[in-house]
Amino acid sequence: MPKTLDDETTPTRPQPTADTATDASGRRPAASAPRLAWLIGPALVAGVAYLDPGNVASNMTAGAQYGYLLVWVVVIGNVMAWLIQYLSAKLGVVTGKSLPEVLGERIGNRWGRRAYWLQAEAVAMATDIAEVIGGAVALNLLFGVPLVWGGLITGSVSLVLLVLQSKRGARPFEFVIIGLLVIIAVGFSVGVFIAPPDPAGVLGGLVPRFEDANSVLLAASILGATIMPHAIYAHSALARDRFAPKHATEARAIPTARLLTATRWDVTIAMAIAGTVNLCILLLAAANLAGVEGTDSLEGAHAALAASLGPIVATLFAVGLLASGLASTSVGAYAGAEIMHGLLHVRVPLLARRLVTLVPALAILALGFDPTTALVLSQVVLSFGIPFALIPLVSVTARRGVLGRYANRWATTAAGIAASVFLITLNGVLLWLVFTGA
């Protein structure tokens, strides 16, 4: 069973739950609690953020330009993502609140809270730009839909999914997103089985090293596209929505310890899928696109895949990109709404919020700005938001006043701090390289 460094075992207080209930004879009923598999889902939804078009662009570029050199970056990024997403989910499970809600309560100064919201909102909008543009590019590749109309279609579908989540609850939303996740996995992985990578090259890529400044830039881009602030905000809210009692006076139906066990499995499965697919994208490019001209854009990579592996693989890649844009922009919009509600205690109608967050992406597409360049620049904006999400997450989950006996042990906190320092440093390098032109 997957374990975190802090080994939670029992809830803080006895609860009248299905796990502890017995019948008149003192025996536990046969169907006393939901099966562990039925508790899995929130991490799979949050994990879609790790497979958004920004990830696709970063990993394809890294494989095409440097072959197997940066395999280790994908692997180490996924390991850190496991810890970060587990801490986020644990916060939602134990407290019944999202990270924005907790921070909204703890940031006493009104202007400080608003300033924090502004940077978090900017991160959410930058994320939306990448995801809407990715969906628009996919629709253009598949059906020749003009980019602006493709952006509108992507945004409209995400609105439908958000309405589903608000009207029908967390579970139907999870089913739809997980279905799109399956399409993403198939679309981006098929090519690796048709044209397998070199095993020796893959093993060599596990050795941490860089080749030049641009390889450092790409490594930071991969990690920036992997550990995204909005996924941290969203996961705590998804866990809350799924497992918190419907009313404040109700007792939790399932013991906290059992929920945390399910959460560890959930995060492990989600990160295994996301890490494998991201690795497949890089390996696909390394094995088939290395040295090929024009692969520094999604359109160019699609054309190169069609030329080297055939139209079926290229079409599946485009379908995977479309599913990636649709799923990730829905989760991103959900995170944005939660950020506003948790920090400002304001709920904006879904339609109004969706239209506002669509404007930057549609403007970029209408002005003819290069979509892939816009994706890369959006990752730079995300880099600014990483410290503001990571540091509070590690700090809050280490406090007994917030999580009680489920607060991080010192080793978990140390691991969280190490991951935060590493990610913040690399993203600082990314920003320095971008702004100095190195």
Side-chain angles (χ1 to χ4, degrees), residues 296-322:
D296 54 349
S297 70
L298 292 173
E299 299 92 337
H302 176 265
L305 286 174
S308 60
L309 298 180
I312 294 178
V313 172
T315 299
L316 288 173
F317 174 83
V319 170
L321 182 62
L322 177 59

Side-chain angles (χ1 to χ4, degrees), residues 55-74:
N55 289 84
V56 179
S58 297
N59 288 313
M60 289 293 288
T61 302
Q65 292 188 8
Y66 291 98
Y68 304 104
L69 178 72
L70 299 179
V71 167
W72 67 274
V73 178
V74 176

Side-chain angles (χ1 to χ4, degrees), residues 28 46 65 90 101 173 207 241 271-272 277 289 320 357 369 418:
R28 184 178 299 172
Q65 292 188 8
K90 182 173 75 168
E101 285 178 315
F173 182 66
V207 179
D241 290 350
M271 292 301 99
V277 174
L289 305 182
T357 55
F369 198 76

